[in-house]
Each structure stands twice: as C-alpha cells, then as structure tokens.
Amino acid sequence: MKLKKGLFLLIIVLSIFTFNQNIIFADSTDDIISFEIKGYTFTYENAPLKIREEYKKSCEEISSTPLPDDEIFISEENITNYTVRSSIVTYTSYKIRYSENKFIVSGAKNYTVYNYEKVGYNYTKKGNPVHLVQLLLNRVGYNLNVDSSFGSKTYNAVKSFQSKNLLTVDGIVGNKTWICFSNKL
C-alpha cells in the first residue's frame, strides 16, 4: 500500500513539474525575435553635412521636405563613416520584438507596426513603419541611415532583401516580407 501511495505522489509531483515547465516554455517563446540596435541620433539641422545631404536627397525622392527636428539614426557600425561633434548627437538604442503579427519597438521611440501594413512607393513612405524597415534592413546586413524616409537606398535594399530570400521583388514591404524579416532575426 505504501508503494502505491509513493508512486501516486511521484506521478503527481512529476505532473506538476511537467505542467509548470510547459507554462515556462510557452512564456519564453512568446517573442519570436528580439534584438537591440544601438547608435546615434541627430536632428536634421544638427547633423553633419554628409548626413544632411543624404537625408535631403531621400526626402526629395518621396516629394517631402526635411524639417529641422527630423531625426536621423546612425548605427554604431556606421558612425565611423562620418565626422561627428559630440555636442550635437544623442546616444540611442532600440529594442525590437516580433510577437504574433506585429513588431514592437521600444527605446528612444516607442511604436508598433503590424505585418499587414505596406511600406514603399505608393504606400507608407515616411514615419515609424519606414523607420522599422530601415532598422530591420540594418540588422540583416544593409548599411542604411535610419531616417524614416523611404528613398531609393531603402527601396533598393528592400528589393535586394526580397531577391535574396526568393520573395516577389517589388520593393514593397508587405506581409510576406515582414514575416521573412522576422524569420531572419
């Protein structure tokens, strides 16, 4: 009889342990991806000349005008391409998480972009969704200034990413491209 009670207790303890492990496992896989990117943020009016010129060109390509307070983020890896005065730059970091059907960005900016949003020419060409596309492109090896403006450099990088990943090469970030980004990270 004692053996049956001991076996019964062992089964209950193992069941509770297994059940708790499943809960922990489910919680730990909630985020499909998560990464942090660090760098430096300039306002358009305080950015080095080369950065201002690149941003102005990008804006012109989408019929937009740069504003003095527009922000331009340069990753730590890319900052060596520029001459920077420390008084005009802010050290910045972003954490990007992908969960279910959305990217969640936190840090210097906080926003959410759903994977059904379309980014590109004739769609969203400026703002947080473009900012996210540029961060993701940098994460997978493209060296872009993150200026939230969908100019030709971003367009060409999107097309290259799509081609390398056997997606439709149209330069538009839609559902399949968003999902591909999430799978690469």
Side-chain angles (χ1 to χ4, degrees):
M1 189 65 144
K2 286 185 179 184
L3 183 61
K4 285 185 179 181
K5 284 184 181 180
L7 185 59
F8 179 73
L9 284 174
L10 180 62
I11 291 170
I12 290 176
V13 169
L14 288 174
S15 296
I16 291 171
F17 179 76
T18 302
F19 178 72
N20 284 338
Q21 289 298 318
N22 287 339
I23 290 174
I24 292 168
F25 180 75
D27 288 346
S28 67
T29 60
D30 185 39
D31 290 339
I32 295 171
I33 63 166
S34 179
F35 72 92
E36 187 172 19
I37 187 167
K38 297 176 181 182
Y40 302 88
T41 300
F42 301 88
T43 60
Y44 174 70
E45 69 181 349
N46 291 326
L49 180 61
K50 184 176 177 184
I51 294 172
R52 283 197 316 268
E53 289 171 346
E54 291 171 357
Y55 181 59
K56 184 177 179 183
K57 181 180 180 208
S58 180
C59 286
E60 287 171 353
E61 292 171 350
I62 62 167
S63 301
S64 178
T65 304
L67 300 174
D69 290 337
D70 285 352
E71 292 184 349
I72 305 160
F73 173 81
I74 311 294
S75 69
E76 285 180 326
E77 295 79 19
N78 294 339
I79 200 68
T80 57
N81 298 330
Y82 304 98
T83 303
V84 178
R85 292 191 329 257
S86 62
S87 62
I88 59 170
V89 65
T90 303
Y91 188 73
T92 308
S93 70
Y94 295 100
K95 182 175 182 183
I96 295 95
R97 294 182 303 133
Y98 183 80
S99 181
E100 296 177 19
N101 64 343
K102 64 186 174 282
F103 288 89
I104 303 160
V105 179
S106 58
K109 286 184 172 188
N110 297 294
Y111 59 87
T112 299
V113 175
Y114 291 87
N115 65 4
Y116 54 77
E117 174 129 19
K118 290 189 176 184
V119 175
Y121 293 131
N122 298 322
Y123 295 98
T124 301
K125 298 181 288 187
K126 199 161 177 71
N128 290 337
V130 178
H131 186 265
L132 175 60
V133 167
Q134 292 169 331
L135 288 172
L136 293 170
L137 285 165
N138 278 326
R139 176 67 176 180
V140 295
Y142 295 87
N143 294 319
L144 298 173
N145 291 348
V146 180
D147 59 14
S148 305
S149 181
F150 196 89
S152 61
K153 287 184 179 183
T154 303
Y155 174 74
N156 290 329
V158 168
K159 285 177 42 176
S160 174
F161 176 78
Q162 290 171 328
S163 176
K164 288 178 182 177
N165 290 283
L166 306 175
L167 298 167
T168 301
V169 181
D170 57 8
I172 298 166
V173 180
N175 187 280
K176 289 181 181 178
T177 305
W178 287 121
I179 290 170
C180 189
F181 273 129
S182 73
N183 289 331
K184 296 290 179 187
L185 304 175

